[in-house]
Amino acid sequence: MAATAYDAAMRRALDLAARGPVTGGNPQVGCVLLDASGAVVAEGWHRGAGTPHAEVDALSRVADARGLTAVVTLEPCNHTGRTGPCSEALIAAGVSRVVYAVSDPGHESSGGAERLHEAGIEVVPGVLADEVAAFLHIWLTVAARGRPWVTVKWASTLDGRAAASDGTSQWITGTAARQRVHEQRAASDAILVGSGTVLADDPALTARGDAGELLGHQPLPVVVGERPVPADAALRRHPAGLVETGTRDLGRILAELHERGVGRVYVEGGPTLASAVIAAGLADEYAVYLAPALLGGERLAVGDLGIRTISEARRLTITSVEQLGEDLLVMARPERRS
């Protein structure tokens, strides 16, 4: 059967994948099981770390999977982690064909297609590969780089100021923009903040709803710097716990967070930390909240990046612009260089 015959099933699998959580370090994966006529007999998706993978979830919904075709957004894994290898589950179930979109880039988890082929199962790779790769872009980037995806956030006036000359900064933006920040926190595994910001502002760094209630997922606060967090600081009461790095070595911090299963990091630590992350080339995405106001002065949202001439400017590609009340949220990523 031609690969294009599986396009509709793959799009359905992609819809299912989107139901899974973006946090937790695992990919969002969907699976559809088809019978010989191409009809859908079962569906599944991955609901987060430690839960059955999409293929196993779908297989659990049929009494007999022999002869079925499994259409999966990501190449079935071939390793044992918190759950067993999906390649072996598909082999044991007796499926006759596995169709997938994107190969698994992981050193430990890849190889599922080869294992299936060795077991005599027909393997059809690359169906809607571009669409699925775009959907999995962040996870695939994390897997390839071996470090979390880093979003740098700041709020500033239109002239780029993050605070007035006396240091006051609450509130530059309005309530709608501030609520979106909470939503972005909830979509992150960890929040990076500098020790200076902790000492100066005593932030809570929780993700909260419109009424101030805690949202279902809370990011892990991670404090960058040598100075300890005070015993009575709000971060000591954070529901996700607290990590004090004791260092400013951003590469080491991100590597250790990756080892902990952190896939997405939200940098919310003020100009000093934001500038350090950008200067080190570690920013994968920018979330810039702009308020229709002018402050002037020297308190810029981003400090010195070591740029001395316009040709060295860090060019960005704007991915979206959204109006939130009177404010704007500009999402951007580093411009790809050919």
Side-chain angles (χ1 to χ4, degrees), residues 21-42:
V22 297
T23 56
N26 291 92
Q28 294 170 285
V29 181
C31 176
V32 173
L33 297 180
L34 307 176
D35 64 17
S37 70
V40 175
V41 296

Side-chain angles (χ1 to χ4, degrees), residues 12-31 44-49 51-54 57 73 135-136 139 186-189 217 264:
R12 176 57 183 167
L14 192 55
D15 288 342
L16 294 168
R19 299 182 182 182
V22 297
T23 56
N26 291 92
Q28 294 170 285
V29 181
C31 176
W45 68 92
H46 185 45
R47 291 166 171 79
T51 66
H53 288 190
D57 185 38
T73 51
F135 172 79
L136 287 173
W139 182 82
S188 304
D189 293 299
H217 173 75
R264 300 182 186 221

Side-chain angles (χ1 to χ4, degrees), residues 264-282:
R264 300 182 186 221
V265 166
Y266 196 62
V267 178
E268 211 178 337
T272 300
L273 180 58
S275 303
V277 171
I278 297 168
L282 296 171

Side-chain angles (χ1 to χ4, degrees), residues 175-187:
T175 55
R178 297 201 297 273
Q179 186 53 44
R180 182 53 54 85
V181 170
H182 284 285
E183 293 168 4
Q184 290 185 328
R185 287 178 180 177

